[in-house]
Amino acid sequence: MDVSLLLAFVAAAAVISLVPGPDMMFIIAHGVARGPRAGVVAALGMSTGLAVHTVAAAAGLGALLQAAPAVLDAVRLVGAAFLLYLAWSAIRSSRQPLTESADAVAKGRPLRKTYAMAVLTNLANPKVILFYLAFFPQFVVADGGWPVWAQFLVLGAMFIVVGFTVDGSVGLATGALSALLLRRPAVRRWLDRLSAAIFGGLAVRLVTDQSR
């Protein structure tokens, strides 16, 4: 693979990762609601989802899904339903008594659950599949000496490293800021409501954005 092409890919990936999108908003929501560790773990979960998409794209599964719009629509609806569930959970948390909410902050949501939710949210977003099919081929050379599937895996790995660096930093920063506020149960309620608004907004966007 050409080094200059790889450098161009890294630069493009960095710009794309810096633009706020659904994944970053999900990470911010968890960082705000649960603190810095949850923000970083959410970023790790998103990266894991991207790893699955990378393998699928390399295996040609992405093109197969693109050729079946009904499957993509089903994935879209499942993802929206999952985000609405997260919004409802955040609203329910905000309605707990202040003392109960304070205890919840101290215990925190298990990080493995945050990780699993991030992975599922990423996998349930058909836009990621379409993005891989539209973006990666621009940097794949048919006669570059490497099989196309191997080039997809390398590009995917680089994209994940760049994305996790950006998303992990965002999760850590927003989580550190919210950690200063989470000691006050009343503030906690508003942070849960903010998380619910983000999750709900992402669900609406996933359902209404029908572009291919």
Side-chain angles (χ1 to χ4, degrees):
M1 297 182 70
D2 186 75
V3 175
S4 60
L5 195 63
L6 292 178
L7 292 176
F9 176 83
V10 170
V15 172
I16 292 171
S17 298
L18 287 169
V19 176
D23 284 5
M24 185 177 290
M25 296 306 294
F26 183 95
I27 292 164
I28 290 174
H30 278 275
V32 166
R34 304 294 172 181
R37 287 200 299 171
V40 174
V41 169
L44 181 61
M46 290 295 178
S47 294
T48 302
L50 290 177
V52 175
H53 282 298
T54 297
V55 174
L61 296 180
L64 179 62
L65 290 176
Q66 188 182 34
V71 175
L72 284 178
D73 288 337
V75 172
R76 187 196 317 276
L77 292 177
V78 170
F82 183 67
L83 288 168
L84 287 176
Y85 163 75
L86 294 181
W88 173 78
S89 296
I91 286 294
R92 186 179 60 178
S93 177
S94 72
R95 293 177 177 176
Q96 293 176 348
L98 293 183
T99 53
E100 184 179 350
S101 181
D103 291 339
V105 173
K107 297 179 181 177
R109 173 182 291 142
L111 292 180
R112 62 179 179 276
K113 185 176 181 181
T114 296
Y115 173 80
M117 289 191 298
V119 173
L120 290 174
T121 299
N122 183 271
L123 292 178
N125 185 359
K127 289 296 180 182
V128 180
I129 301 171
L130 300 180
F131 168 78
Y132 267 62
L133 295 176
F135 181 61
F136 278 36
Q138 302 176 52
F139 301 90
V140 172
V141 181
D143 56 351
W146 288 39
V148 172
W149 64 265
Q151 295 182 59
F152 259 93
L153 291 179
V154 171
L155 293 175
M158 295 174 66
F159 185 75
I160 290 168
V161 170
V162 173
F164 178 72
T165 300
V166 173
D167 291 342
S169 299
V170 170
L172 186 63
T174 56
L177 178 62
S178 70
L180 299 175
L181 304 174
L182 288 177
R183 297 186 182 93
R184 300 186 178 184
V187 174
R188 163 71 177 185
R189 284 183 171 178
W190 287 105
L191 292 179
D192 277 331
R193 291 169 185 170
L194 174 61
S195 297
I198 293 175
F199 293 140
L202 292 177
V204 171
R205 175 178 174 177
L206 198 57
V207 171
T208 59
D209 187 0
Q210 298 293 327
S211 59
R212 291 277 190 267

